[in-house]
Amino acid sequence: MKILDTKFVQGFIKMANDGYLQGWHERNGGNLSYRLKTDEVESIRPRLMDHGQWHPIGASVPGVAGEFFLVTGTGKYFRNIIVDPEASIAIIEIDEKGENYRIRWGLVEGGLPTSELPTHLLNHEVKKRTSGGVHRVIYHAHTTNVIALSFVLPLQDEIFTRELWEMATECPVVFPKGVGVIGWMVPGGRDIALATSRLMEQHDYDAVIWAHHGMFCSGETFDLTFGLMHTIEKSAEILVKVMSMGGRKLQTIRPDDFRALEPQFHIELPERFLYEKEDPAEIGGPAKA
């Protein structure tokens, strides 16, 4: 079977195009990666190059040493992935120490994997460990409404999570662990990679908001990861509209309402997000002591 015909490559291409159609990938914005299963690697191994040059990752990721990843290329446009995937994406192999990578397929016109590769691999390493190996997709997109909120909401996990949860009943069901938030940092570097991985490890977040930049999500499959990103961004869009209409809510979902969802949907919501507000109609944090 040709590599382009495999189910995982086709799923990767579809997800990338879905994100572009949402308007989340202007120019060369955003990136996507997928950790291949063993049987997927074996099914394409005869078609992989074996003479690629090794390059430093920029981070040590021994937890994914020897693994293969499908990734978007740096400087490549999401809008072109569906048109010319072999020039836009690549399969890379991580060395036995987890310190270097080499291209085994793709990027036929030259180039390197996404500049966010250290962030992707560090978080793949974390989510592989914390999810028991089931998480395989990492996705970063420039989600418009989430970015807008990062200019007007306090950059606190509790406030972002609570306000997003209140916008639609499905939100605490889709992301019951909440969302993490990181203040502005230089993208593509070691610092933002470590900050994101710390949040994903300490709180087991599947989604982290990068202030003034976008969102970073992890999931088991392409559908679940895209669905997570899509749900959070739609909730952010509703919140932006509520704020633009004056920001004062006549009614909302209250802490006990959220608690009532737990037995029905078999979820456990962290109590730190279920604080009482001084004024439930306002957008913001808990009541002052």
Side-chain angles (χ1 to χ4, degrees), residues 5-39:
D5 293 335
T6 58
K7 186 176 181 179
F8 73 90
V9 172
Q10 287 299 307
F12 187 98
I13 292 170
K14 181 182 185 301
M15 180 171 170
N17 194 59
D18 286 345
Y20 168 70
L21 294 175
Q22 289 293 324
W24 300 341
H25 298 287
E26 76 293 336
R27 203 171 180 271
N28 62 317
N31 29 75
L32 175 62
S33 64
Y34 170 73
R35 183 169 59 87
L36 275 67
K37 299 175 182 177
T38 301
D39 62 326

Side-chain angles (χ1 to χ4, degrees), residues 6-19 24 31-37 40 69-72 78 89 120 124 134-139 217-230:
T6 58
K7 186 176 181 179
F8 73 90
V9 172
Q10 287 299 307
F12 187 98
I13 292 170
K14 181 182 185 301
M15 180 171 170
N17 194 59
D18 286 345
W24 300 341
N31 29 75
L32 175 62
S33 64
Y34 170 73
R35 183 169 59 87
L36 275 67
K37 299 175 182 177
E40 291 169 335
F69 292 84
L70 178 58
V71 299
T72 49
F78 264 58
I89 62 179
H120 278 253
H124 272 292
V134 298
H135 272 226
R136 292 187 173 274
V137 182
I138 295 281
Y139 184 32
C217 290
S218 172
E220 296 178 28
T221 66
F222 297 122
D223 282 348
L224 287 172
T225 312
F226 185 86
L228 173 62
M229 182 87 72
H230 200 185

Side-chain angles (χ1 to χ4, degrees), residues 13-90:
I13 292 170
K14 181 182 185 301
M15 180 171 170
N17 194 59
D18 286 345
Y20 168 70
L21 294 175
Q22 289 293 324
W24 300 341
H25 298 287
E26 76 293 336
R27 203 171 180 271
N28 62 317
N31 29 75
L32 175 62
S33 64
Y34 170 73
R35 183 169 59 87
L36 275 67
K37 299 175 182 177
T38 301
D39 62 326
E40 291 169 335
V41 175
E42 294 309 313
S43 72
I44 62 171
R45 191 177 290 276
R47 296 181 178 273
L48 297 175
M49 301 183 298
D50 60 3
H51 55 273
Q53 180 181 352
W54 292 99
H55 302 273
I57 292 168
S60 179
V61 286
V64 293
E67 299 222 38
F68 289 71
F69 292 84
L70 178 58
V71 299
T72 49
T74 187
K76 304 300 182 180
Y77 290 29
F78 264 58
R79 69 187 296 267
N80 291 333
I81 290 176
I82 197 169
V83 177
D84 193 359
E86 286 186 278
S88 306
I89 62 179

